[in-house]
Amino acid sequence: MRIVLLGPPGAGKGTQAAQMACRFGAPHIATGDIFRANVAEGTELGRAAQEYMDLGDLVPDEVVIAMVMERLASDDCDSGFVLDGFPRTVNQAEALDRRLAGLGTPLEAALSFDVTEEELLRRLAGRAAAQHRADDAEQTIRHRLEVFAIKTRPLIDYYARRGLLINIDAIGPIEVVTKRILDELEGNRRQG
């Protein structure tokens, strides 16, 4: 299974990506985790990424694309993957499509997580307090949602045009949202 998860910060992509990775035996590739690991290790990429993340801005496409393409070349991705946090721009989606077309392994679905802004603010404020994450302070949260609306929402149209978009109601208990995803993916496979 080769899927990408789309949605604003706090929509539950990381939680559900872990569920899907376990279910399908595919690696969960989370760019946010990779960035945070690089920041913690003090790598050059980590220092560059930190500047953008502290402001709530997206890390530049060329850095993200190179990092993700290197990860997708790993043997554990041969039979599939769950991408969480990539692509975030149409440019990144096109780079992913080119890579997968070259391998003869096209993307199977793009899951778009639908959550109200009120619920997102509640979730992100709770996460900021629980995890002491600087990238989830209230002012940064609002900026991240604005960045998402401007730069990432066009991906929804991109994947809808390609017939890969599946909208997911992402409000509710984790297991309920997981069941919605699995039901939609199964229905999508039957139609394909």
Side-chain angles (χ1 to χ4, degrees), residues 33-82:
D33 291 346
I34 295 169
F35 288 148
R36 282 187 283 278
N38 277 276
V39 167
E41 294 168 15
T43 67
E44 186 175 332
L45 172 62
R47 288 190 300 275
Q50 183 69 57
E51 292 178 30
Y52 293 96
M53 292 187 317
D54 283 348
L55 297 171
D57 289 335
L58 297 178
V59 177
D61 280 354
E62 60 275 7
V63 174
V64 179
I65 290 168
M67 177 188 65
V68 173
M69 294 308 141
E70 181 177 302
R71 177 65 182 93
L72 291 178
S74 301
D75 291 342
D76 66 337
C77 293
D78 288 349
S79 62
F81 51 79
V82 179

Side-chain angles (χ1 to χ4, degrees), residues 159-177:
Y159 285 118
R161 284 191 306 274
R162 296 201 51 236
L164 295 172
L165 188 69
I166 299 173
N167 289 303
I168 302 294
D169 175 358
I171 297 179
I174 292 169
E175 59 278 1
V176 171
V177 175

Side-chain angles (χ1 to χ4, degrees), residues 3 29 46 91 100 107 120 139 141 148 165:
I3 58 176
I29 301 171
N91 185 42
L100 296 177
L107 197 62
L120 291 172
Q139 182 178 2
I141 290 169
F148 171 80
L165 188 69

Side-chain angles (χ1 to χ4, degrees), residues 8-148:
K13 296 181 304 293
T15 299
Q16 293 301 328
Q19 297 286 326
M20 295 301 103
C22 183
R23 173 74 179 211
F24 296 115
H28 169 197
I29 301 171
T31 53
D33 291 346
I34 295 169
F35 288 148
R36 282 187 283 278
N38 277 276
V39 167
E41 294 168 15
T43 67
E44 186 175 332
L45 172 62
R47 288 190 300 275
Q50 183 69 57
E51 292 178 30
Y52 293 96
M53 292 187 317
D54 283 348
L55 297 171
D57 289 335
L58 297 178
V59 177
D61 280 354
E62 60 275 7
V63 174
V64 179
I65 290 168
M67 177 188 65
V68 173
M69 294 308 141
E70 181 177 302
R71 177 65 182 93
L72 291 178
S74 301
D75 291 342
D76 66 337
C77 293
D78 288 349
S79 62
F81 51 79
V82 179
L83 280 173
D84 166 15
F86 182 90
R88 286 199 176 166
T89 66
V90 172
N91 185 42
Q92 291 177 7
E94 291 169 342
L96 177 63
D97 284 345
R98 285 190 300 273
R99 167 73 179 190
L100 296 177
L103 296 171
T105 56
L107 197 62
E108 295 176 59
L111 307 178
S112 177
F113 287 47
D114 296 327
V115 183
T116 64
E117 184 172 334
E118 180 182 329
E119 177 67 8
L120 291 172
L121 291 171
R122 186 190 67 74
R123 288 180 184 184
L124 291 170
R127 184 169 80 181
Q131 298 178 2
H132 308 292
R133 283 178 54 165
D135 62 334
D136 281 341
E138 185 173 350
Q139 182 178 2
T140 307
I141 290 169
R142 291 194 182 279
H143 181 68
R144 288 174 70 200
L145 294 175
E146 289 170 14
V147 169
F148 171 80

